[in-house]
Amino acid sequence: MIKSYTIVLSHDDWSRYTERFNEEELYVKVIRRIPSLDGLTENVMGIIYAKDKESYRQIIRMLSRNETTIDFRIIDEYKNKSNIRAIYASIESLKGRIAERLLKDCRIFSMSETIYEGMERWNVIADSENFIKIIPEVKELTYEFKIIEESSNPLLSVKEELTPKELSILKLAFDKGYFETPKRIGLEELANELGISKPAIMQVLRKAIAKLTEKSIKDF
């Protein structure tokens, strides 16, 4: 069964730096994570918000120099008198991290993360059976850990926003293992099963995932 969870945790990571600030002063939001096909790295996109230049510079240094970071760059940056906002993209190693445990051993449908006040708040939509099994391993990597089960079927919360075609293809892709790492089925195989072109199914999945991700982030 697909369920939605919020995990609140802290561990030995750069995110501990944020504990001296509240959410109105500094936060980082990881809005997209795409694992590589070999499962060794992930492509990450996130948002940084800082109230002052010094905390902004410090968090940039920590993100870019973190031992798991392979590549880091600022994509866009907006500064005014009261705050700084930036969008960043990075390539990060998955080895030994919480993300590795979740992506490797769970059927993850969506995963985002918000960091402030020294705590990480993960929003995860996953197959509940696999997710519950991996929780003990995730706990071992943290200092503090709390899990909240939010919904028995998070797809229902966005059902009205998805077209019937988007919903049916999204559910089929999930059931067939398209979102697993490594994938159990590729886009071409999905397209053949549905009798549509590969570009067409790719476009449908992108639109559906974008809607689901936007809904998850807004609810978070």
Side-chain angles (χ1 to χ4, degrees), residues 1-4 109 125 150-162 167 170-171 211-212 215-216 219:
M1 181 182 294
I2 303 172
K3 291 188 178 181
S4 176
F109 187 75
I125 298 175
E150 295 184 334
S151 171
S152 60
N153 192 342
L155 287 177
L156 294 178
S157 66
V158 293
K159 187 174 181 180
E160 294 181 0
E161 299 180 35
L162 299 176
L167 184 59
L170 197 60
K171 292 178 72 174
K211 290 179 182 180
L212 182 60
K215 174 68 175 177
S216 299
D219 289 346

Side-chain angles (χ1 to χ4, degrees), residues 11 66 71 104 143 146 150 163:
H11 62 113
N66 188 48
D71 183 58
K104 181 180 179 181
Y143 295 131
K146 181 172 70 173
E150 295 184 334
T163 67

Side-chain angles (χ1 to χ4, degrees), residues 4-18:
S4 176
Y5 302 89
T6 294
I7 311 171
V8 182
L9 58 90
S10 66
H11 62 113
D12 190 15
D13 194 62
W14 61 265
S15 56
R16 299 280 290 181
Y17 169 74
T18 66

Side-chain angles (χ1 to χ4, degrees), residues 32-50:
R32 183 164 297 178
R33 328 177 73 113
I34 303 174
S36 62
L37 293 176
D38 59 15
L40 299 177
T41 63
E42 63 174 338
N43 294 295
V44 176
M45 182 167 287
I47 298 170
I48 300 167
Y49 169 87

Side-chain angles (χ1 to χ4, degrees), residues 15-152:
S15 56
R16 299 280 290 181
Y17 169 74
T18 66
E19 64 187 359
R20 69 187 75 176
F21 305 96
N22 61 41
E23 189 179 7
E24 296 180 355
E25 295 172 320
L26 177 69
Y27 66 77
V28 178
K29 288 188 177 182
V30 178
I31 57 176
R32 183 164 297 178
R33 328 177 73 113
I34 303 174
S36 62
L37 293 176
D38 59 15
L40 299 177
T41 63
E42 63 174 338
N43 294 295
V44 176
M45 182 167 287
I47 298 170
I48 300 167
Y49 169 87
K51 197 170 183 179
D52 62 78
K53 293 180 180 179
E54 181 52 38
S55 58
Y56 174 71
R57 293 192 191 103
Q58 181 69 10
I59 203 68
I60 291 293
R61 284 194 293 268
M62 289 189 167
L63 281 165
S64 61
R65 297 175 185 176
N66 188 48
E67 61 181 11
T68 64
T69 302
I70 298 169
D71 183 58
F72 179 91
R73 63 191 67 188
I74 296 296
I75 303 300
D76 197 8
E77 191 176 71
Y78 175 75
K79 299 179 180 180
N80 59 30
K81 294 181 179 179
S82 60
N83 60 64
I84 304 171
R85 296 174 186 268
I87 298 174
Y88 76 90
S90 63
I91 300 174
E92 301 177 17
S93 170
L94 282 169
K95 188 175 181 180
R97 293 172 53 214
I98 291 171
E100 181 190 29
R101 297 265 58 83
L102 292 172
L103 292 169
K104 181 180 179 181
D105 298 317
C106 289
R107 296 177 67 187
I108 296 293
F109 187 75
S110 175
M111 186 166 65
S112 59
E113 179 185 353
T114 305
I115 303 103
Y116 61 91
E117 296 179 351
M119 302 295 290
E120 301 182 13
R121 294 155 179 83
W122 293 58
N123 189 28
V124 180
I125 298 175
D127 178 85
S128 59
E129 183 178 355
N130 292 315
F131 181 77
I132 294 301
K133 287 180 181 178
I134 201 63
I135 289 304
E137 292 184 37
V138 174
K139 280 185 177 181
E140 290 181 1
L141 301 174
T142 68
Y143 295 131
E144 299 177 58
F145 184 93
K146 181 172 70 173
I147 183 170
I148 304 167
E149 181 180 320
E150 295 184 334
S151 171
S152 60

